[in-house]
Amino acid sequence: MPVRRTISEVDVNKNTNWLNYPSVWTWYLAVIVLGWLGISALIDDAGLAWTYVHLLHGVATYYLLHWIKGSPNPEDQGKYQALTFWEQVDNEAYGTRNRKIFTVVPVLLFVLATHGTDFRKQPLGLNLAVVVILLVAKLPALHKVRFFGINKY
Amino acid sequence: MSSGDTIAPPFFSILSALFILSAASIFGKIRDVIYFLLHPFKVKGETGYAPIRDPTEDFYMRRMYGRIVDCWNRPICSAPTAWVDVMKRERVRDTTGVDTAHIVPIGGHTRCLNLSSYNYLGFAAFDPYCTPRAVLAIENLGISSCSPRVHAGTTSVHVELEELVARFLGVDDAITYGMGFATNSSTIPALVGKGCLVISDALNHSSIVAGIRASGAKVKVFRHNDADHLEKLLRLAIAEGQPRSHRPWKKILVIVEGVYSMEGETCRLKEVVEVAKKYKAYTYLDEAHSIGALGPTGRGCCEHWGVDPRDVDIMMGTFTKSFGSCGGYIAGKREVVEHLRRHSPAHLYACSMAPGCVEQVTSALHVMMGMDGTDRGKQKIDQLHDNANYVRSRLLAMGLDVLGSWDSPVMPIMTYNAAKMVAFSRLTLARKLAMVIVGFPATPVLLTRTRICISASHTREDLDWAIEQMEEVVDLCMLRYRTKALYQLVESELKDHVKRHFGPEIAERATIKALATGELDLRKSKDLSTKAVEGGVGVGIGIGGNAQQQQQHQTQSTSAKPKRAAANSKAQLEGKGPAASPRNGETHRKPLASVQAHAKAFVVSK
């Protein structure tokens, strides 16, 4: 399918344009690694810690990216009131670098969680369910889709 | 800081900003969860009704702003001249002894150096030419016009002001409004509507954004100060036409600002106007911060860049910043202004500018144009540029990440980290510097900054003292974020600026360090600094709140009054330095006796 070249847009959405600054992804990965370090300090199995990190990360990112809507900036005058953070990113364009990174991280954590420790020690089905839900939520086909009216307003 | 090649913010400053914000957010979220667990019914609201507010949208206000509320809305109790009295405030404690998010004045005030008011030309307080005339206008025409312009709100002073503004800018006609924000938000809808396209700079002010939203026109945003991106957008817009129907656009309007208030940098007006004319788009220049502050005679961005004012279709500006008044204007061709007189809602329905404010602007324009018989106007603008360039070079030499163009009196210093921004504000207030900090949503969330507004009424001594105090705070807060790339870019801009205004020979020697240490003297009227210094010592503008100097100062001002007729340096200084007697609230009532004398003098001369 031919891709149409177009002029690059300016992202004026103050809620999301901070993702384009230098050290954002470093920070994201640093928070995940620090979380893993913290959890593996509390429990014995460092591999199982990856499972907990994966689950916590799944819950946190689902809430922050796919549940809460709107923008804390009052000057937007409610322009993004019906859009979740994921839907607002990059002027609602898909296939951008930010979106790719957001998609890869849950998969990466799933791989770390499943290979971190023995399959019988970890809740494999739960890990799989979390990563599948997160990946499905990020599909372009589900842009602005709300199932059964949940989280519509 | 220039645009087309924007310099990315430093890596670790953004990293630290992110950690600070996420930590604050996590604690805020924990408090939200605990509050919800303790009071589940309070959070929900009545069943069947839409919630009045969304917990996520006001999260910042509820959980983060309360901690730092003492940095904003600081009440002042004197005229905002070079020095200002900031009221002392304290946080309210609740019954259990815990600090709340409320802060109340406790009586008393601190005299601080005012680096926060938009008092660019020093017209903020008593001026020997402007104030008597403004008081006379109030006596003759009343406190308020109590009417929109089309009913009974147009007075002789309004007509005079509009003619004068048009003459000052070099265009056909002008229209004035009572409020600067409303000038933009009511004019843009009167100019463009459905079927029109507005191409606006990425960093335009919220009044422009509000006006565009209210108009119903389609909007495209071009990268800040990037004339190439503007050209690409124009070409695409004209080639494609309106969305879906592909009909040609009725009108294309390009909106830029003269000086961007959060960046302190001027727009590249020459390139933008060139591109717009090439594609037959109209240009709208918002000179809120640049009128009276840029250009050798204060005529704004057009004069600064050497652009013919007739090439800019609509020039907008405000009287709040340089002219010490309120309100705004739109100036341009006669047909445009006549159209606005019939269609702009602010002209038809909003109360017109108060006559005292109008006369203040008229008098300030007289001073700036030299029509008051002195060269105070020229001196003011020269002093402003000198002060601005000096402070900018000193701060850059100190290692601070200072944004903005040369000659611009607005100087944001990047603090990136929200915690540093707040610490800077509190520490500078403790050192008697009144400074403004800016965070989200006025700036991007990770690019917080503190902004200095230089005034023509600041003396070199004031500024030296301020920089000394700031250096201590900078050391404590570790704010030396200036990168090598930025330094080189700003230095090359300095060379361009000096070449354009002073000639190529001086441009060779122009470096930031030379300007900061005083080796390179760009002062346009060389003896200006000595006068300011004299004034600084004799007039004794309370540096550090020295009581002795205050005494000296007050006697000086009263004795200098009879000498006002002679155009000597003291009179000019007093005119320039409205801090003439600034101790407590009664001072602005003090000059009335002399005001009446002046008022009579003006009546006689008229």
Side-chain angles (χ1 to χ4, degrees):
Chain A
M1 191 181 84
V3 174
R4 182 167 164 269
R5 295 188 63 175
T6 183
I7 313 293
S8 51
E9 285 182 356
V10 181
D11 189 0
V12 283
N13 184 354
K14 285 206 175 118
N15 191 23
T16 56
N17 62 11
W18 56 274
L19 290 172
N20 297 318
Y21 292 146
S23 56
V24 172
W25 303 112
T26 315
W27 166 78
Y28 185 31
L29 295 172
V31 168
I32 291 173
V33 168
L34 284 173
W36 172 72
L37 283 174
I39 293 178
S40 61
L42 295 172
I43 61 173
D44 277 333
D45 190 351
L48 195 56
W50 279 119
T51 298
Y52 292 132
V53 168
H54 171 65
L55 295 175
L56 268 176
H57 171 266
V59 168
T61 52
Y62 189 84
Y63 177 72
L64 291 171
L65 292 180
H66 302 287
W67 188 264
I68 56 176
K69 301 199 295 286
S71 150
N73 180 9
E75 286 174 6
D76 283 338
Q77 297 176 328
K79 196 169 158 191
Y80 307 111
Q81 225 172 33
L83 295 177
T84 61
F85 188 90
W86 174 254
E87 287 160 359
Q88 290 174 36
V89 164
D90 286 339
N91 274 341
E92 300 178 48
Y94 281 77
T96 65
R97 197 177 86 132
N98 292 334
R99 292 203 194 258
K100 286 176 190 166
I101 296 177
F102 270 130
T103 314
V104 159
V105 171
V107 176
L108 183 68
L109 285 178
F110 174 70
V111 167
L112 284 167
T114 50
H115 290 270
T117 182
D118 192 36
F119 286 125
R120 280 165 292 193
K121 273 200 198 158
Q122 55 167 282
L124 187 58
L126 193 56
N127 282 338
L128 185 64
V130 164
V131 77
V132 165
I133 289 174
L134 285 179
L135 285 178
V136 164
K138 292 179 167 64
L139 287 174
L142 291 188
H143 184 66
K144 292 203 211 173
V145 170
R146 309 271 179 260
F147 292 119
F148 309 116
I150 298 173
N151 204 20
K152 194 169 176 195
Y153 294 117
Chain B
M1 188 176 85
S2 185
S3 56
D5 26 40
T6 31
I7 298 179
F11 186 89
F12 284 107
S13 52
I14 299 286
L15 195 63
S16 70
L18 278 165
F19 273 114
I20 298 275
L21 276 178
S22 47
S25 306
I26 289 172
F27 280 109
K29 191 67 204 161
I30 293 173
R31 287 171 88 117
D32 262 356
V33 167
I34 294 176
Y35 188 83
F36 178 74
L37 290 173
L38 293 178
H39 311 277
F41 302 109
K42 264 195 204 168
V43 171
K44 265 204 160 144
E46 292 188 44
T47 48
Y49 281 79
I52 275 184
R53 76 209 200 343
D54 183 8
T56 41
E57 289 202 335
D58 60 1
F59 176 78
Y60 172 77
M61 286 309 289
R62 282 181 303 107
R63 293 298 174 193
M64 290 164 73
Y65 183 67
R67 295 171 183 267
I68 54 179
V69 73
D70 58 308
C71 299
W72 287 279
N73 299 337
R74 290 181 178 149
I76 61 173
C77 51
S78 74
T81 65
W83 289 80
V84 69
D85 288 332
V86 178
M87 288 171 77
K88 294 197 176 138
R89 296 192 297 171
E90 216 174 60
R91 219 172 252 275
V92 170
R93 293 228 156 128
D94 68 11
T95 44
T96 58
V98 173
D99 282 340
T100 63
H102 293 293
I103 189 159
V104 289
I106 52 168
H109 50 80
T110 329
R111 186 126 196 102
C112 300
L113 181 67
N114 189 0
L115 293 171
S116 44
S117 295
Y118 302 134
N119 180 20
Y120 300 144
L121 293 172
F123 283 116
F126 178 79
D127 185 271
Y129 182 81
C130 299
T131 310
R133 292 171 58 101
V135 171
L136 190 62
I138 295 177
E139 284 173 5
N140 290 339
L141 296 165
I143 302 282
S144 164
S145 55
C146 303
S147 184
R149 286 290 299 273
V150 289
H151 293 171
T154 304
T155 61
S156 55
V157 289
H158 288 90
V159 174
E160 189 189 343
L161 175 61
E162 291 182 348
E163 283 170 16
L164 198 58
V165 166
R167 212 163 92 207
F168 182 68
L169 296 170
V171 290
D172 290 343
D173 201 358
I175 176 176
T176 58
Y177 298 94
M179 185 179 159
F181 188 103
T183 307
N184 269 332
S185 59
S186 72
T187 297
I188 298 173
L191 293 172
V192 290
K194 273 186 82 163
C196 302
L197 176 68
V198 176
I199 307 191
S200 114
D201 188 290
L203 297 174
N204 272 344
H205 190 249
S206 59
S207 57
I208 296 172
V209 175
I212 296 171
R213 284 203 188 127
S215 68
K218 291 273 177 293
V219 63
K220 284 195 195 299
V221 175
F222 71 97
R223 264 194 290 273
H224 177 59
N225 258 346
D226 196 342
D228 290 329
H229 195 221
L230 171 65
E231 180 159 9
K232 290 198 185 116
L233 277 177
L234 269 170
R235 289 176 69 92
L236 187 67
I238 294 172
E240 287 198 328
Q242 295 185 36
R244 275 184 273 251
S245 64
H246 295 295
R247 273 184 241 165
W249 296 100
K250 286 198 194 147
K251 211 182 292 179
I252 299 185
L253 183 63
V254 176
I255 306 188
V256 288
E257 285 190 37
V259 164
Y260 292 90
S261 55
M262 288 303 149
E263 281 69 35
E265 83 181 276
T266 64
C267 106
R268 299 202 157 161
L269 191 61
K270 240 196 175 102
E271 285 102 336
V272 168
V273 166
E274 208 178 289
V275 167
K277 278 168 84 81
K278 184 172 165 193
Y279 294 95
K280 301 206 170 52
Y282 296 115
T283 28
Y284 182 112
L285 177 63
D286 176 340
E287 292 208 272
H289 286 269
S290 56
I291 190 69
L294 281 186
T297 60
R299 278 166 170 74
C301 200
C302 288
E303 198 190 18
H304 182 79
W305 287 107
V307 170
D308 185 4
R310 286 175 204 283
D311 282 344
V312 177
D313 300 291
I314 298 132
M315 295 173 71
M316 177 265 176
T318 58
F319 301 127
T320 348
K321 281 84 183 179
S322 302
F323 303 110
S325 181
C326 66
Y329 66 86
I330 300 273
K333 291 201 179 62
R334 194 165 297 282
E335 301 90 60
V336 175
V337 175
E338 286 300 315
H339 169 84
L340 286 175
R341 287 212 173 97
R342 289 169 184 70
H343 293 273
S344 170
H347 190 255
L348 301 172
Y349 305 111
C351 189
S352 64
M353 260 172 96
C357 300
V358 176
E359 189 56 44
Q360 161 72 19
V361 183
T362 309
S363 314
L365 282 171
H366 284 169
V367 172
M368 294 314 293
M369 292 162 83
M371 286 163 70
D372 64 331
T374 66
D375 64 345
R376 271 178 60 210
K378 187 85 180 75
Q379 294 202 335
K380 274 182 190 280
I381 192 80
D382 286 347
Q383 179 85 34
L384 176 65
H385 290 164
D386 295 339
N387 284 351
N389 290 335
Y390 174 67
V391 173
R392 179 163 270 123
S393 61
R394 282 285 306 266
L395 295 177
L396 280 163
M398 209 197 289
L400 295 176
D401 190 349
V402 180
L403 310 182
S405 313
W406 296 95
D407 264 5
S408 153
V410 176
M411 238 163 277
I413 302 170
M414 299 303 293
T415 55
Y416 294 110
N417 196 321
K420 287 194 184 187
M421 161 184 84
V422 170
F424 188 89
S425 173
R426 291 176 178 160
L427 289 170
T428 47
L429 186 63
R431 283 170 174 69
K432 300 192 178 16
L433 292 175
M435 294 180 73
V436 161
I437 53 171
V438 206
F440 187 78
T443 63
V445 66
L446 299 170
L447 300 182
T448 62
R449 58 202 74 174
T450 173
R451 185 180 65 177
I452 296 180
C453 290
I454 298 293
S455 164
S457 54
H458 287 136
T459 61
R460 196 50 88 91
E461 286 202 346
D462 288 340
L463 297 172
D464 282 334
W465 175 79
I467 293 172
E468 203 185 293
Q469 298 298 309
M470 243 189 278
E471 185 144 24
E472 290 174 21
V473 178
V474 161
D475 284 331
L476 280 171
C477 295
M478 303 201 303
L479 286 177
R480 288 170 212 259
Y481 284 128
R482 183 205 74 206
T483 56
K484 209 179 201 131
L486 178 76
Y487 192 83
Q488 286 166 352
L489 183 63
V490 177
E491 197 154 70
S492 68
E493 283 185 354
L494 174 63
K495 288 199 194 298
D496 283 336
H497 172 82
V498 171
K499 198 185 334 186
R500 248 172 337 115
H501 289 135
F502 294 92
E505 315 85 42
I506 306 186
E508 297 292 302
R509 297 187 288 125
T511 61
I512 295 176
K513 211 178 241 171
L515 196 54
T517 53
E519 275 173 56
L520 172 66
D521 200 340
L522 286 183
R523 281 187 279 233
K524 287 165 191 169
S525 53
K526 297 282 172 145
D527 47 357
L528 199 64
S529 65
T530 50
K531 276 183 192 168
V533 167
E534 261 177 21
V537 170
V539 177
I541 301 176
I543 296 174
N546 188 334
Q548 248 189 354
Q549 282 181 321
Q550 293 174 13
Q551 274 306 92
Q552 246 183 23
H553 171 246
Q554 274 173 338
T555 50
Q556 194 81 8
S557 63
T558 44
S559 62
K561 278 196 169 83
K563 293 187 195 153
R564 193 163 294 161
N568 61 11
S569 63
K570 287 228 181 66
Q572 284 170 340
L573 259 176
E574 254 174 302
K576 201 185 335 195
S581 60
R583 273 342 114 192
N584 44 31
E586 58 189 60
T587 53
H588 16 275
R589 280 175 247 139
K590 234 178 141 182
L592 267 181
S594 61
V595 164
Q596 277 171 0
H598 275 96
K600 290 201 180 85
F602 283 118
V603 167
V604 164
S605 61
K606 273 182 185 166

